[in-house]
Amino acid sequence: MNHSLRDAIREVEALPEKDQEEIARALHQMAVRKRIDARLEAAVRRGGEIPAETFYEELRQKYGE
């Protein structure tokens, strides 16, 4: 974990539980999106061998978005 993320987590820990939960959900959604984008980028690099709809469905099943 990098220094910036550790600092941000310390700040979040100082917030009320409700606010922590809201930020955690948003962070999780951002992380999942980053993973999906990375997988899409890899698929494009290998020539887009599967239909986008199939690819997105596999990612949704795997990462829960």
Side-chain angles (χ1 to χ4, degrees):
M1 185 180 327
N2 72 33
H3 186 70
S4 296
L5 184 56
R6 273 182 263 162
D7 288 347
I9 288 173
R10 280 190 210 104
E11 290 296 326
V12 171
E13 287 175 334
L15 296 171
E17 190 74 25
K18 181 180 176 187
D19 293 336
Q20 289 182 27
E21 190 63 36
E22 178 185 347
I23 291 169
R25 282 191 304 272
L27 180 59
H28 182 258
Q29 186 175 25
M30 289 172 62
V32 168
R33 172 48 63 191
K34 289 289 187 181
R35 283 182 164 194
I36 289 171
D37 289 347
R39 295 282 307 270
L40 280 171
E41 200 173 301
V44 168
R45 281 195 307 269
R46 72 174 182 261
E49 297 168 356
I50 62 173
E53 295 81 14
T54 302
F55 180 75
Y56 272 115
E57 185 56 34
E58 289 173 4
L59 290 174
R60 282 188 191 100
Q61 288 177 7
K62 185 172 183 177
Y63 297 112
E65 187 174 293

